[in-house]
Amino acid sequence: YDDWASLITAGNTSSLTVKGCTFESTNAYNGYVTVYGIFTYGGSTVTIGNDGATRTSFKNFRCGIGWEFGDGVQEVAVCDFTDCGVNTRVWGTVKNQLYLNNPKTQTAGGITIESGGLLKLNSSSQIMTTGQWNDIIVHGTLQGVGARFDLDTWTDHSDGDYPDQRHNGIYFMDGSSGGFYRCVLTGVERRDHSAHYYDDWSAIVHASGTVNLRFQGCDFESLNTVNG
């Protein structure tokens, strides 16, 4: 098992600053590699940045950075990733202002943006949701500028589609807002039971209540993986 390995772990109310450092896993046992270069969780205050022109870099990890959103001030700049399965894994609650700057950022659990919170994907960044329990739920604000959203959408049950068995990509709840400028938004339609080809109920973006959404110059694509 290598689920818990990391070179640096920062949690609770700790403070971590990393600038222009190099992280590399050279494990060779049966192809196993260290899971994380840096793993941060809870209310930790974290800055992962650059030292002048020298970027912080991660090589040969299952995931370069594991990042749980929390109460602390957390900043992750554009980093270099080489031979990592995923660049960054993110999950948790956005309470303040957070910015994603890297491609191949994957959810490792659900994301909730609280009222008053902002999650912004800057240019060339990417978020990928995997599985039906990794929804993005927005009570505050979600924005993207030149970013990519690759989202799983699900319908659960072999007996048909019901409201509690729909899993949309992004949920905008009453009072929330979203702004997307020149973004790419894709949905990968999946079904729990291949004998039933319902695809009427899931969406890339689902808005409920008084929601303010703006899309400008965006590309949308839906890929249905059921029955070809």
Side-chain angles (χ1 to χ4, degrees):
Y1 296 100
D2 62 349
D3 293 334
W4 304 106
S6 64
L7 299 188
I8 295 178
T9 296
N12 299 322
T13 57
S14 61
S15 178
L16 171 67
T17 300
V18 174
K19 292 188 176 181
C21 296
T22 300
F23 295 81
E24 182 175 3
S25 169
T26 57
N27 297 335
Y29 178 73
N30 286 343
Y32 281 91
V33 295
T34 303
V35 180
Y36 296 110
I38 297 175
F39 180 79
T40 175
Y41 66 93
S44 56
T45 297
V46 175
T47 299
I48 302 175
N50 306 316
D51 184 13
T54 303
R55 292 180 177 176
T56 296
S57 63
F58 300 86
K59 183 176 181 180
N60 200 34
F61 294 95
R62 278 174 52 186
C63 177
I65 302 170
W67 179 4
E68 180 186 27
F69 304 141
D71 295 324
V73 176
Q74 300 170 328
E75 300 178 6
V76 177
V78 178
C79 300
D80 289 333
F81 299 89
T82 304
D83 296 330
C84 293
V86 175
N87 292 345
T88 308
R89 287 179 181 153
V90 294
W91 66 98
T93 302
V94 178
K95 300 182 179 182
N96 303 304
Q97 295 185 356
L98 292 178
Y99 303 90
L100 301 184
N101 293 298
N102 291 290
K104 290 182 68 176
T105 296
Q106 183 183 78
T107 57
I111 294 174
T112 299
I113 304 173
E114 290 190 347
S115 178
L118 165 68
L119 180 63
K120 183 177 180 181
L121 278 72
N122 289 322
S123 179
S124 299
S125 64
Q126 176 189 24
I127 193 164
M128 305 177 290
T129 63
T130 56
Q132 61 202 72
W133 308 117
N134 288 300
D135 304 323
I136 300 174
I137 301 175
V138 185
H139 298 277
T141 302
L142 175 63
Q143 296 179 348
V145 177
R148 186 177 183 96
F149 298 78
D150 293 303
L151 309 169
D152 272 1
T153 59
W154 291 72
T155 303
D156 277 359
H157 203 270
S158 60
D159 292 332
D161 292 335
Y162 299 93
D164 62 346
Q165 295 167 346
R166 307 169 192 166
H167 297 276
N168 303 295
I170 304 172
Y171 292 79
F172 283 93
M173 310 307 288
D174 189 34
S176 65
S177 64
F180 302 85
Y181 177 74
R182 297 197 178 281
C183 292
V184 177
L185 300 97
T186 69
V188 180
E189 300 286 347
R190 303 184 189 276
R191 301 293 171 267
D192 189 53
H193 195 287
S194 61
H196 295 262
Y197 303 122
Y198 298 100
D199 63 349
D200 297 332
W201 303 105
S202 58
I204 296 175
V205 174
H206 182 275
S208 177
T210 304
V211 176
N212 184 5
L213 289 179
R214 181 180 178 86
F215 299 91
Q216 182 175 348
C218 294
D219 294 332
F220 291 85
E221 180 181 357
S222 177
L223 173 63
N224 194 320
T225 62
V226 179
N227 198 28

